[in-house]
Amino acid sequence: MSEARASESGFAIKGVYTAADLPPELDSRLGEPGRYPYARGVYPTMYTSRPWTMRQYAGFGTATESNARYHQLLKAGTMGLSVAFDLPTQMGYDSDDAIAHGEVGKVGVAIDSIEDMRLLFAGIPLDKVSTSMTINAPGSVLLLLYQLVAEENGLSGSALNGTIQNDILKEYIARGTYIFPPKPSLRLVADTFAYCRKEVPKWNTISISGYHMAEAGATPAQEIAFTLANGVEYVRAALAAGLAVDDFAPRLSFFFVARTTLLEEVAKFRAARRIWARLLRDDFGAKDPKSMMLRFHTQTAGVQLTAQQPEVNLVRVAIQGLAAVLGGTQSLHTNSFDEAIALPTEKAARLALRTQQVLAYETDLTATVDPFAGSYVVEAMTAEIETAVNDLMDRVFDHGSAVDAIEAGFQKREIEQSAYRFAQQIDAGERVVVGLNRFQIDTEEPYEPLRVDPTIEATQAERLARLRAERDGAAVERALAELRTAAEGDENVLYPMKEALRARATVGEVCGTLRQVWGTYRPSDRF
């Protein structure tokens, strides 16, 4: 028999699995679908009653351009929107700020004020569409803008359904779009939990993300371990703010990657559900079953897409999407085949959505719940990953907390070492990437990527100048002063923040006010 192949997480994959490889007490490890420990899925019927939510991540250029793309996606059958914001918006800067030069509208839509948010969602029924916003440090700001636009259309907060990513800790580990130091950032997260429980009760207040760690090179075990450790930190922050675990935990959600290593990915998702359920029940005393459910969104692995022979990415994405569905995801975004080159074209985005629709409506995936339950290989892999995740989480908490481990550089260092190993394996040909280091072609077919209009920055600056000239400047200053006072004390900052945004304060002005009080984080800072 050939030598065992190593999994992405580092354990050996055997050539043949038998009943002897199944973990002990399999029935209790599995449970029933929709019941503790949720290994078989968080809902009893899973996709047999309705498929997962099909989201497409979109946003580029101006709010008007992105709005047109959203209408196209909804017409094509998308069930939920997923909004990409440009880098200045993610960092809490207005489009006319000097630091934003050259980045406006490049990797997502530019949102500077309530006026942009109105344009972004014009003609879209916000009470009928679930909206996910990939925004972190200014997550509360964008949520409030969304709520204000909904109110202008006669909708209450209780009618809104969606998610803000709002996961600041992974920014310090793998992504870098942070604004404030960790402690005030965690306070802002806890304030958002409390605000949404009262004002926007169906909103998922955080999407605790392992996706970006995976894109940075984390193994499946690292992705789950570091994400769940961050989740523990958010639970602790909310409890310290006086919230009861069953008041906020049901609105926690997660965001993971789906790779082409299908079997290990399925096992990863099953292990994650088991571990989270045990943590919430045993460590935090949760009583509400919804508090113990690890509900998650999945995006197919952008890091595995290649600019070489980009059409091959259609095959990769289909396999990755299959892994997510077999793993029990609640919603799914499938990447477009051209995303390794540029922002996706309309045709590429539509093909990505069609991939999900084929999985949902042309296969038998939705006919039965958890088809891999009891599989020798998947159950053995689930146990392997669960052990590896628990060991890694122990190493995180040996530092004291996830934040302490971040300060020590632990997670970042572990991910960088994994990424380096993967790169070495690709360079040596030990890890095959079709079209990149094997099965190449001599010449690539021409491809015309989506181009972003370079005049967007000037257009946004003109809009901002007009906004500042037309609004009541004194009212804005008063509202920002009230926000500053709240940030200096212990009042929930979202209430005065909402009033400032209603008065047409900009995203940059609101974040700038908080910067004045809380400071700006630098990687060398100590806290």
Side-chain angles (χ1 to χ4, degrees):
M1 187 176 293
S2 61
E3 184 178 346
R5 172 178 165 182
S7 73
E8 299 280 303
S9 295
F11 59 84
I13 301 176
K14 298 171 64 173
V16 175
Y17 285 83
T18 68
D21 295 299
L22 293 174
E25 302 178 343
L26 181 61
D27 287 346
S28 64
R29 289 177 60 86
L30 281 173
E32 295 296 323
R35 300 184 66 178
Y36 185 91
Y38 304 103
R40 300 195 64 187
V42 293
Y43 302 123
T45 58
M46 288 303 289
Y47 312 133
T48 61
S49 55
R50 64 179 296 273
W52 59 94
T53 298
M54 300 179 195
R55 296 192 186 278
Q56 285 307 106
Y57 187 51
F60 61 94
T62 66
T64 300
E65 290 175 298
S66 292
N67 175 262
R69 175 63 63 86
Y70 296 155
H71 281 282
Q72 291 164 358
L73 289 170
L74 290 169
K75 185 177 180 181
T78 293
M79 299 153 64
L81 299 175
S82 188
V83 184
F85 297 94
D86 73 354
L87 193 57
T89 305
Q90 293 180 47
M91 299 295 291
Y93 292 107
D94 290 331
S95 296
D96 60 354
D97 195 299
I99 201 170
H101 179 61
E103 294 294 338
V104 177
K106 286 289 180 66
V107 298
V109 61
I111 298 294
D112 292 316
S113 72
I114 190 171
E115 295 190 353
D116 290 327
M117 192 64 90
R118 288 179 191 132
L119 291 174
L120 185 64
F121 289 102
I124 293 174
L126 300 187
D127 57 336
K128 295 180 173 60
V129 172
S130 172
T131 301
S132 174
M133 293 189 277
T134 304
I135 193 74
N136 295 287
S140 55
V141 183
L142 275 296
L143 169 62
L144 293 173
L145 288 173
Y146 187 85
Q147 185 190 9
L148 285 167
V149 169
E151 289 175 353
E152 291 176 350
N153 287 277
L155 300 174
S156 68
S158 62
L160 304 180
N161 182 22
T163 305
I164 45 171
Q165 192 165 102
N166 200 30
D167 174 11
I168 198 61
L169 293 181
K170 65 95 173 50
E171 299 295 327
Y172 304 114
I173 295 172
R175 194 160 176 269
T177 60
Y178 40 71
I179 300 175
F180 318 112
K183 287 183 179 178
S185 294
L186 286 172
R187 176 211 167 156
L188 188 55
V189 169
D191 280 358
T192 304
F193 289 175
Y195 177 87
C196 286
R197 179 174 179 263
K198 185 176 180 181
E199 308 293 344
V200 198
K202 291 192 290 188
W203 200 266
N204 296 314
T205 49
I206 193 168
S207 177
I208 307 164
S209 177
Y211 181 87
H212 304 91
M213 296 186 225
E215 292 286 284
T219 67
Q222 289 172 337
E223 175 194 357
I224 298 302
F226 298 155
T227 303
L228 298 190
N230 285 350
V232 167
E233 194 74 17
Y234 293 125
V235 171
R236 289 174 176 171
L239 293 174
L243 300 176
V245 65
D246 287 325
D247 286 343
F248 66 86
R251 303 315 309 173
L252 302 179
S253 65
F254 291 81
F255 175 25
F256 296 120
V257 78
R259 302 170 179 82
T260 51
T261 45
L262 186 148
L263 296 176
E264 186 175 3
E265 292 297 287
V266 172
K268 174 192 80 176
F269 294 131
R270 298 164 69 84
R273 280 193 294 267
R274 282 181 46 80
I275 295 168
W276 187 248
R278 187 186 70 246
L279 282 169
L280 268 290
R281 187 190 71 172
D282 297 348
D283 291 10
F284 293 108
K287 304 297 185 201
D288 186 345
K290 292 181 179 178
S291 297
M292 307 173 208
M293 295 179 183
L294 184 140
R295 297 170 301 113
F296 63 94
H297 169 71
T298 308
Q299 182 173 339
T300 55
V303 73
Q304 291 188 318
L305 303 183
T306 62
Q308 297 81 5
Q309 301 180 48
E311 293 83 357
V312 178
N313 293 329
L314 287 165
V315 181
R316 293 188 177 102
V317 168
I319 294 167
Q320 293 161 354
L322 181 62
V325 172
L326 289 170
T329 193
Q330 276 58 72
S331 65
L332 176 61
H333 163 75
T334 36
N335 287 327
S336 301
F337 75 89
D338 53 357
E339 287 188 46
I341 303 170
L343 290 171
T345 61
E346 179 183 345
K347 180 179 180 180
R350 185 171 60 248
L351 283 170
L353 175 61
R354 295 288 182 253
T355 301
Q356 294 200 52
Q357 291 166 335
V358 168
L359 291 175
Y361 301 111
E362 291 193 23
T363 75
D364 54 5
L365 286 174
T366 60
T368 187
V369 175
D370 189 26
F372 270 131
S375 159
Y376 296 156
V377 59
V378 168
E379 298 297 356
M381 282 187 169
T382 301
E384 292 265 20
I385 291 176
E386 189 171 357
T387 297
V389 168
N390 285 329
D391 289 346
L392 272 170
M393 290 182 72
D394 287 343
R395 291 176 65 195
V396 169
F397 295 132
D398 283 345
H399 290 83
S401 70
V403 171
D404 294 324
I406 289 168
E407 173 66 12
F410 172 69
Q411 298 98 318
K412 190 172 187 292
R413 187 166 55 250
E414 290 290 307
I415 291 170
E416 287 172 348
Q417 290 172 355
S418 296
Y420 182 60
R421 283 196 304 273
F422 292 165
Q424 286 183 311
Q425 291 165 0
I426 290 170
D427 289 345
E430 298 167 7
R431 180 182 294 266
V432 175
V433 180
V434 173
L436 179 65
N437 63 359
R438 197 181 295 185
F439 313 114
Q440 301 99 324
I441 56 178
D442 293 333
T443 57
E444 295 284 347
E445 296 179 8
Y447 172 80
E448 183 60 36
L450 179 71
R451 303 292 183 187
V452 175
D453 185 349
T455 66
I456 287 171
E457 186 172 330
T459 301
Q460 285 297 110
E462 290 170 5
R463 286 172 53 77
L464 280 164
R466 188 163 57 249
L467 170 78
R468 294 186 179 113
E470 294 174 351
R471 71 188 182 183
D472 184 341
V476 172
E477 288 302 317
R478 285 194 300 271
L480 291 175
E482 291 177 8
L483 174 61
R484 186 179 301 109
T485 299
E488 289 169 344
D490 56 7
E491 178 187 345
N492 189 316
V493 298
L494 268 74
Y495 289 94
M497 186 187 294
K498 184 180 180 184
E499 294 312 308
L501 294 167
R502 192 196 305 275
R504 298 204 289 175
T506 67
V507 171
E509 288 165 346
V510 167
C511 292
T513 298
L514 296 179
R515 279 189 183 93
Q516 292 170 10
V517 180
W518 292 341
T520 302
Y521 179 71
R522 298 286 183 265
S524 60
D525 289 349
R526 296 293 180 264
F527 50 91

